Amino acid sequence: MDERRPGAGRALVFFVALIVLISVVALNVPRFARRVAAARPAVPAQPTLPAAEVWVSTADHRLTLAPQPDLALAARDGSDADITIDTKSTYQSMTGFGASMTDASAWLIQNKLTPEQRHALMTELYGSSPNLNLNMMRLTIGASDFSLNLYTMDDMPFGETDPQLRHFNVAPTEDYLIPAVQHALAINPNLLIVASSWTAPAWMKANENLNGGELLPQYENAYADYLVKYVDTYRSRGIPIFALTLQNEPLYSPISYPGMIMNPDTRARVIKYLGPQLAKRTPRTGILEWDHNWAVPEQPLAVLADPAAARYVDGVAWHCYDGSPFEQGRVHRAHPDKDTYITECTGGDWPLYVNGELLWFTRNLLVTGIRQWARGVIYWNLALDERHGPHFGGCSACKGIITIDSQTGAVTRNDEYYAIAHFSRFVMPGALRVKSTDTDADKGLANVAFVDPMDGSVILVLVNINKTGKRVSVAEGQYQFDYAMPAESVATIVWNPSRAAAWIRRALHWLNAGSSRESP
């Protein structure tokens, strides 16, 4: 699938900084040179070892992405380590992290914040690290359960049809959704957007209703045209669509909000209509199959078993509500040429999560999901209010990664915000997952590691689910270190074997922080 490469700007800054560093060293070396007729015996210099930076969050909220003292790296002595990282053994490259700009999220951002609050929040969410650095987004095509009213892009009076899509329009999204997405793109032009349809227009469906029902066979071609028209229209508004899913949760027929059953045979037929049309567009919008729970891997496998459809499928999209992320691995092993994405998962104010959701989301969704081949992870609602809305049926206790107070505009950053931040602020697009010892089952320490090919930095995310602190030893390349993880905590640890590259990375971090503070 075509992807814009946000690393180009970073590469330019990185190499400019490197040239400056080399020039400074070269200019200052002669200043310190001394001609000594009879030199004293030289004392062997002790090698200066790199250090690792650490950020920690705890389930009790005592620490929230809090920077910790640097860890001193030691020369590797050959002793066994709990976690051994092999940066030569690489797996998938990472695309990014994000959340869904639902109608509810966009409406809150556009209507409950002042212009100053809005710009500050959007910069925090979509600005470069040390902001949250979100670079993926999901949009709903038409209304979802988190909309203010029911609609599609081609609604007709009852009993009328529009197979030529002459009445197609995006008017229901003009007031708040499109402006919010355009604002995000202005901050991060490399944002990758996945769009998912919740239902076909009612006139295309057997029950002639937006809620539930199935797509009529005679409108499968028109439904493919409907999705293409959405891509073209949004592109004309400056909103490129990175990938489509044909149908959100195609095995579920909701009664209180838009939805539609779509079995594998139907999805395969629609893909055969849709794929050739998208292939004509540059850049090409990809197709992600499935877009439902881990528990039913047979569904995407059935579509991928059809070669005529599979040729147009770029990857498989997964939801977290039932089953295990290990099913992602099963499908990946059967079709290693297809990408893996997690496109929806939500937390909420449920009794199960009375002690918070930081550990579950970091360990089960992010660490395990990525170890099972996910290239990107997109949370459900970006923002909801203190009453878990606005919403139109469906989930009444869901949370966004942030909560916006509908009276004051005050923003609360939820556990999901910090879970994502432990990845999105440090794991840049193009970073490679690398081999690391799996310590989840035997030590209660989940982990996943990456190397950034841009500067050689190594990024390790650790999750300690134990109620007591745990000391963990880590070995990578020529170096090793020990770290005492707090009880029930998440840590992101970053180091670079090259001290020069490490300082350049820190300098870029400081520069980005300064530019974010100075932005209007």
Side-chain angles (χ1 to χ4, degrees):
M1 192 187 306
D2 293 336
E3 298 172 18
R4 297 177 293 282
R5 300 302 298 175
R10 292 180 62 231
L12 178 60
V13 175
F14 176 81
F15 285 114
V16 168
L18 184 59
I19 291 169
V20 169
L21 179 64
I22 292 171
S23 300
V24 168
V25 172
L27 289 171
N28 282 278
V29 165
R31 184 180 304 176
F32 298 102
R34 297 289 187 269
R35 293 184 178 180
V36 181
R40 296 178 181 178
V43 177
Q46 295 298 316
T48 303
L49 298 175
E53 298 175 273
V54 186
W55 291 262
V56 174
S57 298
T58 54
D60 62 7
H61 304 142
R62 180 175 54 86
L63 299 172
T64 51
L65 204 68
Q68 304 297 295
D70 286 357
L71 293 175
L73 271 61
R76 194 165 175 180
D77 60 12
S79 59
D80 290 337
D82 296 318
I83 299 172
T84 299
I85 298 171
D86 178 6
T87 59
K88 303 299 183 186
S89 296
T90 61
Y91 303 100
Q92 77 271 28
S93 64
M94 298 305 297
T95 296
F97 305 89
S100 296
M101 185 68 80
T102 57
D103 288 348
S105 299
W107 185 84
L108 286 169
I109 289 169
Q110 296 298 116
N111 289 283
K112 296 299 180 178
L113 301 177
T114 66
E116 294 78 14
Q117 287 175 318
R118 185 182 311 123
H119 185 76
L121 176 62
M122 293 294 278
T123 300
E124 176 188 342
L125 295 172
Y126 295 102
S128 299
S129 180
N131 293 296
L132 192 56
N133 194 38
L134 297 181
N135 58 359
M136 296 195 77
M137 176 187 285
R138 186 173 181 230
L139 298 178
T140 70
I141 302 175
S144 73
D145 41 330
F146 284 90
S147 294
L148 282 73
N149 55 279
L150 295 178
Y151 70 91
T152 71
M153 306 303 184
D154 197 333
D155 294 321
M156 298 293 293
F158 186 78
E160 297 184 24
T161 63
D162 183 27
Q164 303 304 315
L165 304 178
R166 293 188 178 93
H167 297 279
F168 182 97
N169 70 89
V170 295
T173 66
E174 295 273 13
D175 289 342
Y176 45 87
L177 180 63
I178 286 177
V181 178
Q182 290 171 333
H183 193 170
L185 282 163
I187 296 167
N188 182 359
N190 296 302
L191 191 66
L192 300 178
I193 298 173
V194 177
S196 303
S197 178
W198 254 242
T199 182
W203 55 267
M204 293 188 188
K205 299 173 67 175
N207 67 346
E208 299 183 86
N209 194 312
L210 297 185
N211 299 353
E214 297 184 59
L215 182 67
L216 289 167
Q218 63 264 36
Y219 290 122
E220 289 173 359
N221 202 341
Y223 185 59
D225 293 339
Y226 172 83
L227 297 176
V228 171
K229 207 166 186 68
Y230 172 88
V231 169
D232 290 345
T233 304
Y234 264 56
R235 182 174 292 173
S236 72
R237 305 300 178 89
I239 302 174
I241 302 301
F242 169 65
L244 287 172
T245 72
L246 303 188
Q247 174 61 45
N248 175 71
E249 301 190 343
L251 282 192
Y252 184 55
S253 181
I255 60 173
S256 64
Y257 64 89
M260 185 169 71
I261 294 288
M262 188 177 284
N263 63 46
D265 288 343
T266 301
R267 299 200 304 274
R269 289 195 299 271
V270 173
I271 288 170
K272 292 172 196 176
Y273 294 131
L274 179 63
Q277 295 190 66
L278 295 179
K280 298 174 185 176
R281 284 152 175 81
T282 304
R284 185 178 69 86
T285 295
I287 297 174
L288 301 180
E289 158 56 13
W290 188 218
D291 209 17
H292 207 166
N293 288 329
W294 290 320
V296 200
E298 295 79 13
Q299 284 276 323
L301 287 171
V303 172
L304 294 174
D306 182 338
R311 63 181 295 198
Y312 296 111
V313 173
D314 297 273
V316 178
W318 300 92
H319 295 189
C320 74
Y321 307 118
D322 189 17
S324 160
F326 288 94
E327 299 301 342
Q328 296 175 182
R330 173 183 167 187
V331 174
H332 172 82
R333 288 188 293 275
H335 298 276
D337 58 322
K338 306 303 182 187
D339 290 337
T340 301
Y341 290 93
I342 297 172
T343 51
E344 187 181 315
C345 194
T346 190
D349 285 333
W350 301 302
L352 179 63
Y353 294 130
V354 67
N355 294 320
E357 300 168 304
L358 175 72
L359 300 181
W360 191 93
F361 274 94
T362 313
R363 176 197 181 210
N364 297 58
L365 185 72
L366 289 154
V367 169
T368 307
I370 291 169
R371 289 186 79 102
Q372 294 300 314
W373 297 97
R375 296 190 64 201
V377 178
I378 306 174
Y379 188 78
W380 186 206
N381 288 280
L382 177 70
L384 293 176
D385 67 18
E386 70 278 11
R387 295 184 296 272
H388 310 285
H391 71 93
F392 196 105
C395 179
S396 61
C398 287
K399 291 194 304 188
I401 70 168
I402 59 171
T403 298
I404 296 177
D405 188 289
S406 60
Q407 302 302 312
T408 66
V411 174
T412 301
R413 292 152 190 84
N414 298 319
D415 282 345
E416 296 81 359
Y417 175 101
Y418 293 105
I420 290 175
H422 272 279
F423 289 81
S424 62
R425 279 186 50 178
F426 309 98
V427 181
M428 298 296 111
L432 300 171
R433 179 171 71 90
V434 296
K435 185 176 182 179
S436 63
T437 309
D438 189 348
T439 51
D440 193 347
D442 59 337
K443 297 183 183 298
L445 290 169
N447 78 85
V448 64
F450 309 87
V451 65
D452 189 335
M454 189 66 65
D455 64 3
S457 293
V458 182
I459 304 101
L460 174 66
V461 182
L462 291 162
V463 185
N464 178 17
I465 65 171
N466 299 284
K467 295 186 179 300
T468 58
K470 287 285 185 180
R471 180 166 290 277
V472 58
S473 56
V474 178
E476 180 273 317
Q478 303 175 50
Y479 303 107
Q480 63 185 38
F481 62 86
D482 288 349
Y483 177 58
M485 280 202 75
E488 296 186 315
S489 66
V490 179
T492 299
I493 306 175
V494 181
W495 67 95
N496 197 307
S498 164
R499 286 187 65 83
W503 279 108
I504 290 172
R505 184 184 180 99
R506 292 188 191 217
L508 290 172
H509 183 87
W510 296 330
L511 286 170
N512 286 334
S515 63
S516 295
R517 287 192 296 269
E518 293 166 6
S519 61

